[in-house]
């Protein structure tokens, strides 16, 4: 059997290696348009910033090493220009020799990936305007920086590539501005969680232009003007366009394959396309969302590798199935780690779920062990059923392992209340006896049992200030003096019992503290004394970050967690 693979990065290289492991006699040919295979897309910005200094570290395999290990015929700088399903061949152009030929196949695997989205802006194609997708793109940017020594950069787009580039360009001493048409960076995160990302990048000197639309580019004074809708242009020495990716599926369209969202390739759960003996995997395919079951696009390395393996299994007579993408991601943003899995609150509501949520600020490890940092954990679940829908975590250590636990819990179908029961590893340098995941589960269990009533950030502006409710801030006097919500009275939680007679029992009490812990204790005191009390989810720390754009890397003591 002869298998031809178009694209040799994540899905394509995985499929080729898996086919060889399953069948020593199969003939495997990989055509890759660029000069590199199996390269680390996610590492490209770190080469630009000199974190990765050896260019060979960007490639996990070379055509020679791949042939030596797997006897796979890898042909780089070969572009497939057409697919002919009727005669089971592909047209190929050797880009170095400018020669064209046809290659036959028994099975064809399409792994073309995605390409940078480029709307019809004016001024595209100029020397100082870059995109970042391939190793060659990385070398072009790096060579230009080394040769011209630019002092400023504008990044058009506020997604993963821009976040990583912002950090690395700042390390090179450049002034960096990010322009994003949305009101927030990093759309996989809800606006309240993205506020922590905004504060972190601003803390490191990155300028943000949120809610501004790029309309084009123009050379001026040795640099580039980024033209904005209804705003004066931004000027910089270089501009990198990173407004998203689009499935690279022109070949599939011309071959008559069924296409889906944004021109992506439609496949079934066996990764089979609409034409027999043609399979597809990676960023170019439309998949099912694991939670909603709806068609979606999720361009991530993990799903691409899984899909490549599934294709190989099925080509060789197996019956492997892709169950859907959950969207689990993690990213380093300067000192901050940001991670998400499943649906955020915004998308869960769009999908029609009746949701609830908890937001908490636990320590990364035991508070009495030195060096702990707070993290912000948001868990989204379905009301009544308590089905886990998604989670987001931001912090400075221990974020990645917690998001993986939550991703596993979602995949396994655990209810949000069952998070309290997970038996997770504990040692003071790494965690607490009640891990942050357990703590989220305990909060949700309290909600399920009617022991906790919450109010949220979106409720703050609607709280009446006419005295019909009691607004209570249970932090210390010093914390209160450092910033508080207008209308809230300060009674520290440890003094609350002595002041209960001053609170009118017929009025509901809305309580807040720095992180949500002391205010929860206050609601227990109040409920136990006959009041109706609501705890603010996320604490003043969340409110201050979102509303006032103020954020510090806080320790336990700074947040009163030692109280």
């Amino acid at each position: 059997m002869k298998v031809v693979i178009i694209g040799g990065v994540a899905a394509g290289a995985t499929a080729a290696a898996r086919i060889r492991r399953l069948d020593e006699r199969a003939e495997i040919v990989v055509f890759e348009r660029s000069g590199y295979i199996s390269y680390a897309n996610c590492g490209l910005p770190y080469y630009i910033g000199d974190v990765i200094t050896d260019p060979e570290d960007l490639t996990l395999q070379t055509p020679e090493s791949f042939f030596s290990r797997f006897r796979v015929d890898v042909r780089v700088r070969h572009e497939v220009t057409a697919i002919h399903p009727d005669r089971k061949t592909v047209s190929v152009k050797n880009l170095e020799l400018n020669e064209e030929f046809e290659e036959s196949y028994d099975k064809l695997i399409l792994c073309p990936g995605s390409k940078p989205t480029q709307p019809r802006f004016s001024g595209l194609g100029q020397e100082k305007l870059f995109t970042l997708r391939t190793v060659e793109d990385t070398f072009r940017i790096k060579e230009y920086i080394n040769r011209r020594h630019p002092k400023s950069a504008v990044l058009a787009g506020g997604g993963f590539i821009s976040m990583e580039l912002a950090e690395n360009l700042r390390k090179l001493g450049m002034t960096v501005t990010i322009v994003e048409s949305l009101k927030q960076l990093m759309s996989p995160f809800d606006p309240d969680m993205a506020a922590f990302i905004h504060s972190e990048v601003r803390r490191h000197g990155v300028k943000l232009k949120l809610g501004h639309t790029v309309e084009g580019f123009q050379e001026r004074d040795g640099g580039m003007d980024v033209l904005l809708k209804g705003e004066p242009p931004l000027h910089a020495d270089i501009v990198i366009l990173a407004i998203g990716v689009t499935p690279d599926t022109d070949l599939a369209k011309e071959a008559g394959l069924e296409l889906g969202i944004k021109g992506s390739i439609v496949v079934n759960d066996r990764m089979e396309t609409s034409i027999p003996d043609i399979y597809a995997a990676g960023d170019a395919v439309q998949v099912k969302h694991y939670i909603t079951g709806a068609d979606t696009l999720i361009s991530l390395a993990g799903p691409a590798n899984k899909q490549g393996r599934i294709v190989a299994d099925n080509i060789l007579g197996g019956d492997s199935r892709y169950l859907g993408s959950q969207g689990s991601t993690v990213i380093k943003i300067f000192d901050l780690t940001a991670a998400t899995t499943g649906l955020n609150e915004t998308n869960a509501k769009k999908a029609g779920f009746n949701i609830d949520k908890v937001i908490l600020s636990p320590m990364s490890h035991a508070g009495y062990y030195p060096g702990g940092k707070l993290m912000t954990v948001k868990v989204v679940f379905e009301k009544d059923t308590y089905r886990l829908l998604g989670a987001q975590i931001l912090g400075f250590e221990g974020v990645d392992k917690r998001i993986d636990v939550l991703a596993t819990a979602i995949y396994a179908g655990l209810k949000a209340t069952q998070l309290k029961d997970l038996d997770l590893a504990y040692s003071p340098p790494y965690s607490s006896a009640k891990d942050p995941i357990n703590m989220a589960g305990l909060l949700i269990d309290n909600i399920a049992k009617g022991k906790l009533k919450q109010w949220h950030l979106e409720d703050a502006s609607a709280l009446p200030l006419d005295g019909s409710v009691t607004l209570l801030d249970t932090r210390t006097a010093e914390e209160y003096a450092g910033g508080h919500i207008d209308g809230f009275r300060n009674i520290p939680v440890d003094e609350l019992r002595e002041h209960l007679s001053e609170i009118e029992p017929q009025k509901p009490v809305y309580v807040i503290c720095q992180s949500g812990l002391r205010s929860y204790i206050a609601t227990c005191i109040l409920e136990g004394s006959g009041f109706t009390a609501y705890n603010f989810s996320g604490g003043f720390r969340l409110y201050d970050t979102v509303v006032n754009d103020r954020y510090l890397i806080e320790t336990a003591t700074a947040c009163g967690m030692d109280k």
Side-chain angles (χ1 to χ4, degrees), residues 318-379:
D319 188 25
S320 293
R321 308 275 174 163
Y322 188 67
L323 301 181
S325 293
Q326 197 168 303
S328 300
T329 61
V330 63
I331 183 173
K332 179 182 181 294
I333 304 173
F334 292 97
D335 299 322
L336 184 74
T337 300
T340 180
T341 187
L343 296 174
N344 62 21
E345 178 183 358
T346 305
N347 290 330
K349 288 178 177 178
K350 287 181 180 178
F353 288 101
N354 184 21
I355 69 101
D356 203 349
K357 61 190 174 186
V358 293
I359 302 174
L360 58 156
S361 300
M363 289 291 291
S364 57
H365 61 241
Y368 60 82
Y369 188 88
K373 294 290 192 301
L374 288 172
M375 62 177 67
T376 303
V377 180
K378 180 174 184 177
V379 178

Side-chain angles (χ1 to χ4, degrees), residues 505-556:
Q506 73 277 14
K507 296 180 181 179
V509 186
Y510 289 81
V511 192
I512 193 171
C513 74
Q514 189 71 0
S515 68
L517 174 59
R518 285 172 287 170
S519 53
Y520 167 64
I521 294 170
T523 62
C524 292
I525 294 171
L526 290 163
E527 291 276 348
S529 303
F531 295 85
T532 299
Y534 299 85
N535 186 37
F536 183 75
S537 180
F540 186 77
R541 176 174 176 266
L542 175 74
Y543 179 91
D544 210 21
T545 301
V546 178
V547 176
N548 301 323
D549 194 27
R550 294 197 303 176
Y551 179 51
L552 297 173
I553 304 175
E554 295 155 320
T555 63

Side-chain angles (χ1 to χ4, degrees), residues 27 76 97 167 204 227 272 274 311 319 338 399 461 514 518 525 542 562:
E27 182 181 356
V76 296
L97 301 178
E167 176 179 352
H204 285 84
L227 308 179
E272 296 168 324
S274 59
V311 168
D319 188 25
V399 169
S461 61
Q514 189 71 0
R518 285 172 287 170
I525 294 171
L542 175 74
D562 59 330

Side-chain angles (χ1 to χ4, degrees), residues 42-58 135 138-140 142-143 146 168 172:
C42 300
L44 301 182
Y46 297 99
Y47 178 76
I48 293 171
D50 290 333
V51 176
I52 298 171
T53 57
D54 187 344
E56 292 187 1
D57 289 340
L58 295 175
V135 174
T138 308
F139 291 161
R140 276 192 291 270
K142 186 62 174 173
E143 187 274 335
N146 290 341
N168 283 281
L172 297 178

Side-chain angles (χ1 to χ4, degrees), residues 4-51:
V4 169
I5 302 173
I6 302 175
V9 188
T14 297
R18 177 67 172 172
I19 291 169
R20 175 57 71 228
R21 288 194 294 269
L22 295 176
D23 186 347
E24 185 63 23
R25 293 173 296 181
E27 182 181 356
I28 309 167
V29 181
V30 177
F31 293 115
E32 169 57 44
R33 181 171 49 195
S34 75
Y36 300 87
I37 63 158
S38 192
Y39 56 83
N41 301 70
C42 300
L44 301 182
Y46 297 99
Y47 178 76
I48 293 171
D50 290 333
V51 176

Side-chain angles (χ1 to χ4, degrees), residues 87-159:
R87 57 181 185 268
K88 300 184 78 171
T89 65
V90 295
S91 295
V92 186
K93 183 175 183 179
N94 183 325
L95 299 177
E96 292 184 344
L97 301 178
N98 199 30
E99 295 177 349
E100 298 186 17
F101 60 92
E102 279 198 9
E103 190 82 21
S104 64
Y105 66 83
D106 295 313
K107 305 288 185 180
L108 179 65
I109 308 175
L110 302 182
C111 305
S114 56
K115 56 188 176 183
T117 301
Q118 293 195 33
R120 294 182 179 178
F121 293 135
S122 62
L124 293 176
Q126 300 185 61
E127 180 195 19
K128 302 175 183 69
L129 178 62
F130 300 90
T131 58
L132 179 59
R133 180 201 183 198
T134 65
V135 174
E136 287 93 340
D137 294 336
T138 308
F139 291 161
R140 276 192 291 270
I141 296 171
K142 186 62 174 173
E143 187 274 335
Y144 185 87
I145 290 172
N146 290 341
R147 177 168 49 90
R148 300 292 293 270
H149 306 289
K151 302 298 182 185
S152 59
V154 168
L155 307 177

Side-chain angles (χ1 to χ4, degrees), residues 418-439:
Q418 290 180 282
L419 296 176
K420 73 181 191 308
D421 302 318
L422 295 178
D423 191 353
L424 303 175
Y426 160 57
S427 178
Y430 302 106
S431 185
S432 300
K434 286 189 289 189
D435 187 85
I437 303 303
N438 298 134
M439 292 171 66

